[in-house]
Amino acid sequence: MKRSVKFILGGAAAVAVASASWLGAAVAADHNDPPARIGGVIDSADIADLYAWHTADAQTLKIVLTFAGPSNPAAGQAGAYDADVLYAINIDNSGDNVANTTIYVRYGQNDLGDFGVQVVGLPGEAGPISGAVETTLTGTTAKVWTGLRDDPFFFDLQGFQDTLQLGTLSFDNTRDSFAGRNVTALVIEVPVAAAIGGGSNLSIWATTSRI
């Protein structure tokens, strides 16, 4: 599965979310019904959204990848970590739509059943960052966090359905159909200078694959 974002660095923080497509097939998915699991179980390889922005001082690039959701909260619920899924976050800083940097992320489980994460290819880092999930992991200049979070995607599903039925815009910006539902999130912070190199634009896309 693939998600992509693109933005131009400026004086203020920028946020962008782009449409989704499946690699190798002309099939689209919205946030709630990836083709592989309509009516089925939640799959850790299903990307929900990809967000990217920089801080107001344009010093730090923040990337958030959400997947395996949305799901209803439950007692003892944890993130959906799958050691057989490889996550790739690609960064193009030269405008040719070819990744100059690829960040790879994998999850694993120890003998006690505890999950951890390893992230390699982080801009500005000489080696990988690894450690337990639900923990802020720090490198030389980068930070990584992953775990269960309330789905940040905002959408008024009732308003959408009413608009289709009535033919007039019926959205309510206080009504969020995804509020209180969970996704697994991967959060990465790296220096903008390390990610962008000598360029001025960043294109970022994420893919998942089973290995």
Side-chain angles (χ1 to χ4, degrees):
M1 190 174 184
K2 180 179 179 181
R3 286 285 192 273
S4 61
V5 299
K6 186 171 185 176
F7 61 90
I8 300 174
L9 291 180
V15 182
V17 180
S19 61
S21 63
W22 282 77
L23 293 178
V27 179
D30 71 19
H31 183 83
N32 198 36
D33 59 2
R37 72 164 176 86
I38 296 177
V41 298
I42 289 176
D43 189 340
S44 297
D46 287 335
I47 297 176
D49 290 294
L50 174 66
Y51 306 89
W53 69 96
H54 62 76
T55 52
D57 60 5
Q59 297 299 304
T60 303
L61 172 65
K62 298 175 181 282
I63 301 171
V64 178
L65 177 67
T66 63
F67 55 91
S71 60
N72 293 320
Q77 188 177 27
Y81 313 116
D82 190 333
D84 294 327
V85 177
L86 177 66
Y87 301 85
I89 298 174
N90 302 283
I91 302 175
D92 167 33
N93 58 24
S94 57
D96 60 0
N97 295 318
V98 177
N100 300 100
T101 300
T102 300
I103 303 168
Y104 291 105
V105 182
R106 286 196 67 186
Y107 295 94
Q109 200 171 16
N110 64 18
D111 293 339
L112 299 176
D114 300 320
F115 274 98
V117 63
Q118 183 181 67
V119 185
V120 301
L122 289 159
E125 293 291 329
I129 291 180
S130 60
V133 301
E134 299 282 355
T135 303
T136 300
L137 308 174
T138 59
T140 305
T141 59
K143 291 183 180 180
V144 174
W145 184 93
T146 187
L148 193 70
R149 279 292 182 264
D150 186 3
D151 192 342
F153 184 76
F154 183 96
F155 186 65
D156 176 14
L157 180 59
Q158 178 181 333
F160 174 73
Q161 294 170 335
D162 290 346
T163 298
L164 290 179
Q165 181 178 1
L166 301 174
T168 58
L169 290 176
S170 305
F171 290 101
D172 181 347
N173 63 8
T174 66
R175 188 168 52 203
D176 181 10
S177 301
F178 293 97
R181 305 194 72 190
N182 290 331
V183 290
T184 305
L186 170 69
V187 184
I188 292 173
E189 292 187 4
V190 297
V192 166
I196 202 166
S200 59
N201 297 336
L202 288 176
S203 295
I204 302 173
W205 64 98
T207 62
T208 60
S209 57
R210 290 203 166 272
I211 53 177

